[in-house]
Amino acid sequence: MREINVNDLIPVVADMCIDATCNLGDDVIRAYEEAIEREESPQAKEVLKRLLENARIAKEEGMPACQDCGFAVLFVDIGQDVRFVGGDLTEALTEGVRQGYEKGYLRKSIVDKPATERKNTGDNTPPVIHYNIVPGDKVKITFMAKGGGCENMSRVTMLTPAQGLEGIKKAVIERVRESGGNPCPPIKVGVGIGGTFEKAALLAKKALLRKIGEFNPDPEMAAVEKELLEKINNLGIGPMGFGGRITAFSVAIETHPCHIASLPLAINIDCHVSRHKEVEI
Amino acid sequence: MSVIRLTPPLDEETLSKLRIGDHCLISGVLYTARDAAHKRMVEALDRGEELPIDVKGQIIYYAGPAPTPPGKPIGSVGPTTSYRMDPYAPRLMEVGLKGMIGKGPRAKEVVDAMVKYKAVYFAAIGGAAALLAKQVKEAEVVAYEDLGPEAIRRLVVEDFPVVVVNDIYGGDLFVEGVKKYAKEG
């Protein structure tokens, strides 16, 4: 067994919170640049140039690219040969989020008693943590700062097997159309197909971790991703919904076997900044 | 692209000249308020109380900034999604609010209220929060401090860039813009 002290994870998580919110991914920067080239609307082109400039300022000044520094979502893949020592793992990861949001001057956006009091917890905790046990003796932590505006545009829907692939495509396109300028397009569309109600949602969220420009290894699903991306970009919503060619940077589908009676579908939308980082320990 | 310069308070003559798609640079005072502050303001009006800020002729920016880092007037501050303020916006226009800044489309009732009360809705670029923070010169909390990022702040801005989405004539940039670039089929 490999021993890992949970306290060593605190600064790792804290740094990831700051890095993800202030330094946008290379794939996002490339997507802005390519979109500036491809966009036909002069107004939309101007928006994209400002977004690229915003990313530069955020990085240079160590400021979050977006004031909504998101819900802290952690995916933790734990090798089964790892033994955690030194305390409670979940508490250590939570402390990492707490320290990162404080040290990085990141906005605290989490409220307790959501249906009633809605009091801000003041430190952006608790995070949502998805643990997964995998072979080996490594720990991989993926941090995602998930914005609230785009999360609100997401949906889980239980289709019937008869609705099939056509029903899936229709539902995804309609969801993006109805979302319009709300989720800060150009968006990323994460699609979870199959599993159960909650599995589909998790698949859709994990799909958002895929880099822009990468497709599903299954050629059939990759073809669906490309078709959906083209159709979404034909909607004309454009950056910020002002009208334009580039409505989405990517569509990423993840699938899982499902029940003979079901066809669960989850659509998780991410805004253009698409903030996530990963570290392997 | 021509640019219109605006300084609140906005009067009717200024508002009558604005059309959807116009690029504007705002200098002067903006008030930030989002979900929780709107709820409190409308509850105050319902109780017959005064608002903590005088909204007459003013512009509310739907935003909750990131914490202020040392040496800067404010942290990153981009717009939040506006439809969540739709249930409250007509009530504030009724008492004199003339401008709103946010992102995303508004409900029909809000667009109708803008025609009725002669107010406009502007969009700022969502997610361009570090860039927009550079246009803010001063910021102070003026009400509901306990709401943290959702407190009402008085900002003094210089050349704050926005686009007119809904004018006082019922126009809607989101509808017109999308129509222009949609390729159905």
Side-chain angles (χ1 to χ4, degrees):
Chain A
M1 294 294 273
R2 178 183 170 212
E3 286 195 351
I4 293 178
N5 190 314
V6 297
N7 295 303
D8 295 340
L9 302 178
I10 297 172
V12 172
V13 171
D15 287 349
M16 268 199 283
C17 297
I18 299 169
D19 188 21
T21 48
C22 300
N23 303 314
L24 301 187
D26 293 341
D27 60 328
V28 175
I29 302 297
R30 243 189 338 268
Y32 287 150
E33 289 168 348
E34 285 173 16
I36 291 167
E37 293 301 312
R38 283 173 51 215
E39 182 53 63
E40 293 164 19
S41 152
Q43 187 158 42
K45 219 185 247 284
E46 194 53 39
V47 169
L48 292 162
K49 283 182 190 167
R50 297 252 177 101
L51 293 179
L52 187 61
E53 171 71 359
N54 180 65
R56 187 190 62 77
I57 294 170
K59 189 175 184 152
E60 267 181 27
E61 306 204 5
M63 289 172 83
C66 180
Q67 80 290 339
D68 180 358
C69 302
F71 206 120
V73 179
L74 292 164
F75 293 91
V76 186
D77 292 344
I78 302 168
Q80 62 189 25
D81 298 330
V82 170
R83 182 171 170 266
F84 289 106
V85 295
D88 182 314
L89 173 62
T90 300
E91 270 178 25
L93 297 172
T94 302
E95 182 59 26
V97 170
R98 186 177 286 124
Q99 290 187 11
Y101 275 71
E102 191 55 38
K103 197 174 131 201
Y105 295 91
L106 308 181
R107 198 182 76 185
K108 289 81 177 170
S109 311
I110 305 305
V111 291
D112 197 6
K113 298 193 178 176
T116 51
E117 199 185 346
R118 296 185 67 83
K119 187 176 166 51
N120 199 305
T121 61
D123 58 8
N124 218 56
T125 72
V128 162
I129 307 174
H130 301 289
Y131 291 110
N132 192 27
I133 306 295
V134 297
D137 65 354
K138 301 270 196 292
V139 173
K140 190 171 98 177
I141 304 175
T142 306
F143 167 83
M144 175 193 253
K146 188 63 176 72
C150 49
E151 193 77 348
N152 282 348
M153 295 298 117
S154 305
R155 294 289 185 274
V156 176
T157 169
M158 304 302 277
L159 301 179
T160 62
Q163 286 174 289
L165 182 58
E166 284 315 305
I168 290 168
K169 289 179 192 169
K170 204 174 145 205
V172 172
I173 290 164
E174 278 316 300
R175 183 83 296 266
V176 174
R177 187 203 303 275
E178 284 166 21
S179 300
N182 287 318
C184 278
I187 54 174
K188 280 176 75 176
V189 185
V191 181
I193 303 171
T196 49
F197 182 83
E198 83 286 5
K199 180 72 180 179
L202 192 54
L203 289 172
K205 178 130 285 145
K206 277 191 176 165
L208 292 177
L209 298 174
R210 205 191 298 161
K211 282 197 187 317
I212 297 165
E214 288 177 6
F215 294 91
N216 193 299
D218 171 6
E220 211 172 21
M221 281 303 109
V224 176
E225 290 171 349
K226 285 172 191 168
E227 182 190 338
L228 283 173
L229 182 60
E230 191 185 334
K231 286 190 170 153
I232 286 169
N233 283 332
N234 283 344
L235 290 173
I237 296 167
M240 288 307 126
F242 294 159
R245 202 67 301 133
I246 314 293
T247 302
F249 284 151
S250 73
V251 176
I253 299 173
E254 294 293 330
T255 66
H256 192 85
C258 72
H259 193 280
I260 49 173
S262 308
L263 182 55
L265 170 68
I267 304 154
N268 198 187
I269 294 180
D270 205 359
C271 51
H272 56 79
V273 289
S274 177
R275 298 156 296 184
H276 52 93
K277 298 279 169 178
E278 61 175 58
V279 168
E280 195 177 66
I281 298 147
Chain B
M1 221 173 275
S2 70
V3 168
I4 299 165
R5 291 185 176 275
L6 298 174
T7 303
L10 302 178
D11 58 34
E12 213 160 293
E13 196 201 332
T14 307
L15 291 161
S16 71
K17 289 178 188 154
L18 299 177
R19 294 289 191 287
I20 62 165
D22 282 349
H23 285 243
C24 304
L25 291 174
I26 302 172
S27 295
V29 173
L30 298 178
Y31 291 98
T32 66
R34 45 173 294 153
D35 309 63
H38 272 78
K39 184 166 186 278
R40 280 197 195 175
M41 281 196 285
V42 168
E43 282 168 358
L45 288 174
D46 286 346
R47 288 193 300 265
E49 295 168 9
E50 292 270 302
L51 291 179
I53 51 168
D54 183 3
V55 298
K56 278 189 194 68
Q58 299 299 324
I59 301 173
I60 288 182
Y61 179 21
Y62 299 150
T68 307
K72 290 189 194 294
I74 199 164
S76 296
V77 60
T80 195
T81 320
S82 304
Y83 75 90
R84 297 194 313 271
M85 270 52 79
D86 284 354
Y88 311 111
R91 194 70 204 281
L92 295 178
M93 285 185 248
E94 198 185 334
V95 294
L97 182 71
K98 288 296 176 195
M100 294 154 279
I101 304 172
K103 68 178 172 86
R106 311 305 302 266
K108 187 179 180 298
E109 304 82 75
V110 179
V111 177
D112 290 347
M114 284 186 249
V115 175
K116 183 176 174 187
Y117 299 114
K118 302 218 181 331
V120 292
Y121 169 53
F122 305 96
I125 299 176
L131 180 135
L132 290 169
K134 288 203 165 289
Q135 309 312 123
V136 179
K137 304 302 158 188
E138 296 170 34
E140 59 164 335
V141 172
V142 291
Y144 310 149
E145 190 163 13
D146 61 300
L147 294 179
E150 295 201 72
I152 297 181
R153 286 171 173 79
R154 180 181 183 275
L155 310 185
V156 177
V157 300
E158 207 175 281
D159 293 342
F160 190 90
V162 293
V163 177
V164 178
V165 170
N166 298 107
D167 54 29
I168 64 166
Y169 307 102
D172 193 323
L173 174 66
F174 289 129
V175 174
E176 299 307 318
V178 172
K179 234 188 257 172
K180 204 166 155 190
Y181 289 94
K183 282 197 229 171
E184 295 289 341

